[in-house]
Amino acid sequence: MADRGGRLIRSALAGPLLAALAAAGGGWTTGSAATLGSGAPPASELPSRLAAPPPRLAAPPPRFAAPPSDTLQRPTPYPVEPSREFLKAIDSRTRTLSGRPGRSYWQQWTDYRLTATIRPAERRLYGRGSITYHNRSPDSLSALYLHLMQNVHATGAVRNRPQPVTGGMVLSRVSAGSLDLAPSTAEDPTGYAIAGTLLRIVPAEPLAPGDSAIIELDWSFTIPKNGAGNRMGWDGDDLLFIAYWYPQMAVYDDVVGWQIDPFLGAAELYAGFGSYDLTVEIPSGWIVLASGRLANAEEVLDPAALRRLRQAEASDSVVHVISETDLASGRTTRAGGRLAWRFRADTARDVAFSATRGSLWDAVRTPVGDRDGDGRTDHARVDAVYRPAAPRWANAARYGRHAIDFFSRYLALPYPWDQMSLIEGGGIIGGGMEFPMMTLMGSYNARSDSALYYVTAHELGHMWLPMIVASDERRHAWMDEGMTSFNENQARKEFFPGQNSEDSDRQAYLEVARAGEEGEIMRWTDHHYPGRARTASYSKPSAVHTALQGLLGEEAFLAAYREYVRRWAFRHPTPWDFFHTIEDVTGLDLDWFWRAWYYETWTLDQAVREVRSAGSGGAEIVIEDLGRVPMPAIVRVTREDGEVFSMEVPVQTWLAGQTAAVLTAPEGSPVVRVEIDPQQLFPDVDRTNNVWQATGPTGHRQPTGGEPTTREGRAP
């Protein structure tokens, strides 16, 4: 990366790699065009995309000089520097330049005991909580911070998207260390203060390293119809989905300290890990599912429903735990005035729950791999809870079964919890929203069965990112949304064989890029210009992830990606931990890639400018780089006799400041077609100039793929 304070960080700028060009068989020319040699092997002998990285990505020397400014024809990526806070974490040995957690890495832990009393007729929640916060940091904490995210619905709250106004969260009691606290004052800061969605508690004494604090709170709020940006709420008189509902400890980490960015309605969570002991009190007849294992099923479920639930936990076929017959008879729960549903969750970063009295409940087990190393396959239960008015959901349990199984295999990390619940929330949400061990998704009545699979795979993919690899969603949404969009596409390829699943994200990004309306991926999520956060968080990072896979080769990419997941499972990675891990595993300096794609809004546009005869069937192929993103140009050449072979312009050519390169095809049958990136590995904004083809009986040649171009130097 960058050299700062005497620390050796790899060079960001891959300069003019004359040695690499020479190794490719060519020389260096003056002006703006580099000439690359001939002797290209047939396609059958080229390195497979499933093999180790091809020679063009050989690691450059540790440092080299930038090309002279008078030879530059284009801007070149400059060094990627981690944040000042990250560099301090390196000094403190909690982070490393290899991407591994440092030997002194630490993170906080919280034990929650929460009770939610629901009064459905009032649509109001009354909460009680005891929070034990463990200070595992080396720092004394003079103040503690909690999120009160329901305050995004308070009158006068600062918001970046429309929200219903319900009054927000009303705190009726705050205590620390068994002492009830009063609001802080200028004269006496001890106590508590509320600012928007943040609660600050100043204890009588700072919380020392290794010590813990017990915070107790009582609160209540009116449940909004579509709350927290359509991530929770109610629909009709038979469905509640409760999230963003309790005072939650803010994250104090080794990089930024207290991360107390307010919840404005758009950007999601940055949450620490802990244990949850949750009780939900609600009238009988309401079925409750939550983040965590139901600890008292015998006390709350109808005996027949309980038998079917246990059957589902050992079944590879979907079992109807609650059917329409059960709903009609009212035999879903134990009888009584009110029931207390108790759930336990460990090593989770949040808790949510649903309550329904009009939903069907399907369940099935899914394989997750070997969790405990005993050589046997472990399983988790997948629940699909949906109302009869959402018929597409009859397939949801099967979709969820495949997704959990697939991601456990693809990311080489078994799903760690006992169950996963899919909740149909038509009228609350249109798409989907993830929580640990739970997801809320729309009915998808107006969409297709395949669309319901897509959203299911996406939301269940979030169980790994960010529920296990717990990045900061509030600042870097791309680290979970973009990567999960990419992971979703991999699941879609297995579930729908032959589908070009990556193309939808690629085209969504390219449409915005062509319009010049994208924002930088690395811009903090809540700081994007209106309408630009989605592309920067979802489609572009997904497309760039696909490009990274194409650049490295599938095998090398997957090894590095899985290592990132392994290193940072149940930890808090930053973007630089991801960048460093990929470089560490592959042995490559990819600063040019990170800078061009993640920090800038540059675009990729490679073109076949000209193909000219070199005698005896040989040809000189002029490849032009019209964009600003440097990427290797993978060129497929077809001869008149049917021979097909590939050539490449290495990325070092563009990093040296050139805008054009000449590939020399050896003598042989005439060249009749040239195509850049035939597998569409990279998101090129203009593919109309990627193909040149000979046409006509005289062998006259012209570009194909769109309107004929009149660019100087190309055949008309």
Side-chain angles (χ1 to χ4, degrees):
M1 291 294 199
D3 190 347
R4 188 166 193 161
R7 289 172 294 273
L8 178 61
I9 307 178
R10 275 182 275 178
S11 170
L13 179 59
L17 297 184
L18 303 183
L21 291 171
W28 190 258
T29 66
T30 59
S32 61
T35 303
L36 303 172
S38 60
S44 61
E45 297 179 13
L46 290 174
S48 168
R49 294 291 163 194
L50 302 180
R56 69 173 183 277
L57 288 176
R63 315 265 312 158
F64 17 160
S69 60
D70 59 354
T71 69
L72 289 176
Q73 305 293 320
R74 55 177 299 151
T76 54
Y78 58 95
V80 168
E81 291 194 16
S83 70
R84 201 176 318 173
E85 294 85 356
F86 186 88
L87 293 174
K88 289 181 180 178
I90 291 175
D91 285 341
S92 300
R93 299 177 182 269
T94 60
R95 306 279 163 156
T96 68
L97 291 175
S98 69
R100 296 181 180 88
R103 66 180 64 180
S104 300
Y105 179 82
W106 55 265
Q107 64 190 37
Q108 310 290 60
W109 180 268
T110 308
D111 295 309
Y112 293 89
R113 293 181 63 87
L114 305 173
T115 298
T117 300
I118 303 294
R119 296 180 181 173
E122 300 176 25
R123 297 196 177 104
R124 193 161 180 86
L125 180 149
Y126 296 85
R128 304 188 306 277
S130 176
I131 300 172
T132 303
Y133 182 70
H134 301 271
N135 183 12
R136 295 176 171 177
S137 81
D139 307 320
S140 292
L141 306 178
S142 59
L144 306 176
Y145 292 88
L146 296 87
H147 293 291
L148 309 178
M149 284 175 283
Q150 280 298 313
N151 275 357
V152 77
H153 299 290
T155 301
V158 177
R159 298 180 272 266
N160 57 11
R161 63 168 59 174
Q163 306 287 344
V165 177
T166 63
M169 182 178 287
V170 177
L171 290 180
S172 53
R173 177 172 176 257
V174 179
S175 78
S178 73
L179 297 176
D180 286 350
L181 300 180
S184 301
T185 65
E187 294 76 20
D188 183 7
T190 302
Y192 72 91
I194 298 173
T197 58
L198 285 171
L199 168 65
R200 185 191 68 195
I201 294 177
V202 178
E205 298 291 336
L207 182 62
D211 205 350
S212 60
I214 298 176
I215 302 168
E216 295 182 343
L217 308 102
D218 295 344
W219 70 94
S220 64
F221 62 87
T222 297
I223 302 168
K225 170 94 172 61
N226 307 97
N230 291 16
R231 299 180 178 103
M232 54 85 64
W234 55 267
D235 185 57
D237 62 358
D238 61 0
L239 177 65
L240 297 162
F241 191 90
I242 306 300
Y244 289 57
W245 66 277
Y246 62 98
Q248 184 177 20
M249 292 301 306
V251 172
Y252 184 81
D253 69 23
D254 63 304
V255 177
V256 302
W258 284 112
Q259 211 294 43
I260 52 175
D261 295 353
F263 176 54
L264 303 178
E268 294 173 14
L269 294 172
Y270 183 31
F273 288 101
S275 68
Y276 286 86
D277 184 328
L278 169 66
T279 299
V280 178
E281 298 174 348
I282 198 167
S284 62
W286 289 79
I287 294 285
V288 180
L289 282 86
S291 303
R293 176 180 56 85
L294 178 59
N296 66 333
E298 296 81 2
E299 298 175 10
V300 292
L301 282 175
D302 179 83
L306 177 60
R307 284 194 301 271
R308 292 189 290 268
L309 181 64
R310 298 298 182 231
Q311 177 188 348
E313 291 171 345
S315 175
D316 296 324
S317 301
V318 174
V319 175
H320 304 300
V321 179
I322 300 292
S323 66
E324 291 198 58
T325 301
D326 299 316
L327 292 177
S329 67
R331 297 186 59 185
T332 58
T333 70
R334 294 280 187 176
R338 298 181 70 84
L339 297 175
W341 298 68
R342 297 186 174 88
F343 298 88
R344 305 287 185 272
D346 189 39
T347 317
R349 60 194 290 276
D350 194 12
V351 65
F353 64 91
S354 67
T356 176
R357 61 179 180 180
S359 297
L360 309 174
W361 181 359
D362 294 343
V364 65
R365 74 172 185 173
T366 184
V368 299
D370 182 4
R371 284 195 193 112
D372 51 15
D374 64 359
R376 294 180 295 182
T377 299
D378 295 304
H379 295 81
R381 190 187 76 234
V382 174
D383 303 311
V385 176
Y386 59 99
R387 290 167 292 183
R392 294 195 191 281
W393 273 70
N395 291 315
R398 181 170 63 90
Y399 294 165
R401 183 178 194 269
H402 173 263
I404 293 293
D405 171 31
F406 174 81
F407 293 127
S408 295
R409 289 183 282 110
Y410 182 72
L411 295 172
L413 181 64
Y415 181 78
W417 299 293
D418 292 334
Q419 82 294 322
M420 176 70 218
S421 300
L422 287 62
I423 309 299
E424 176 267 315
I428 300 174
I429 194 170
M433 179 61 200
E434 71 281 358
F435 303 91
M437 297 161 263
M438 296 198 82
T439 180
L440 175 70
M441 302 185 293
S443 68
Y444 275 68
N445 287 343
R447 306 284 294 278
S448 63
D449 289 330
S450 57
L452 181 57
Y453 175 82
Y454 301 163
V455 71
T456 299
H458 185 93
E459 302 308 327
L460 271 58
H462 277 306
M463 298 306 111
W464 282 261
L465 300 126
M467 302 307 167
I468 296 174
V469 181
S471 58
D472 183 349
E473 299 175 81
R474 194 150 293 173
R475 293 188 179 181
H476 304 295
W478 66 270
M479 292 187 72
D480 72 291
E481 295 295 357
M483 292 186 192
T484 295
S485 295
F486 171 85
N487 295 345
E488 170 204 333
N489 292 335
Q490 310 317 303
R492 287 166 58 174
K493 283 196 287 190
E494 181 173 279
F495 199 79
F496 300 103
Q499 183 187 84
N500 183 7
S501 57
E502 283 115 342
D503 193 56
S504 58
D505 282 332
R506 184 186 301 116
Q507 295 306 323
Y509 154 63
L510 289 173
E511 181 179 356
V512 173
R514 292 185 191 112
E517 295 178 352
E518 61 165 313
E520 304 90 339
I521 291 176
M522 284 291 287
R523 184 182 289 267
W524 288 3
T525 309
D526 273 331
H527 292 238
H528 279 282
Y529 294 110
R532 299 192 177 187
R534 185 165 187 86
T535 299
S537 301
Y538 289 80
S539 58
K540 181 177 180 180
S542 174
V544 171
H545 227 51
T546 300
L548 182 62
Q549 178 178 257
L551 182 74
L552 300 176
E554 187 171 339
E555 184 176 315
F557 166 82
L558 194 54
Y561 191 29
R562 285 174 171 174
E563 179 63 10
Y564 165 70
V565 170
R566 187 196 68 79
R567 288 178 179 181
W568 291 97
F570 303 107
R571 295 182 174 93
H572 298 302
T574 68
W576 304 285
D577 296 307
F578 171 67
F579 299 158
H580 291 157
T581 294
I582 300 300
E583 293 185 340
D584 181 56
V585 176
T586 62
L588 302 173
D589 182 339
L590 296 172
D591 263 21
W592 57 270
F593 186 91
W594 314 129
R595 172 61 66 183
W597 285 114
Y598 289 80
Y599 286 83
E600 307 290 348
T601 56
W602 294 354
T603 55
L604 174 68
D605 184 9
Q606 296 175 341
V608 183
R609 186 172 76 186
E610 183 181 5
V611 178
R612 52 185 181 246
S613 174
S616 301
E620 291 183 341
I621 303 166
V622 182
I623 303 300
E624 194 170 23
D625 198 356
L626 304 175
R628 290 190 171 186
V629 171
M631 292 290 284
I634 305 167
V635 181
R636 177 188 290 167
V637 182
T638 304
R639 296 188 186 274
E640 193 171 58
D641 63 4
E643 179 191 3
V644 178
F645 60 93
S646 293
M647 308 179 76
E648 291 188 5
V649 180
V651 70
Q652 287 83 6
T653 300
W654 316 128
L655 292 174
Q658 305 302 311
T659 58
V662 179
L663 294 170
T664 302
E667 295 181 357
S669 179
V671 172
V672 296
R673 181 179 172 87
V674 176
E675 182 175 3
I676 299 173
D677 189 19
Q679 294 179 282
Q680 298 193 17
L681 300 173
F682 307 145
D684 191 309
V685 294
D686 183 6
R687 288 195 173 271
T688 66
N689 56 23
N690 282 30
V691 180
W692 176 95
Q693 185 161 334
T695 59
T698 63
H700 188 69
R701 306 171 185 184
Q702 70 175 42
T704 64
E707 294 295 323
T709 179
T710 59
R711 184 178 291 113
E712 182 179 355
R714 187 184 298 233

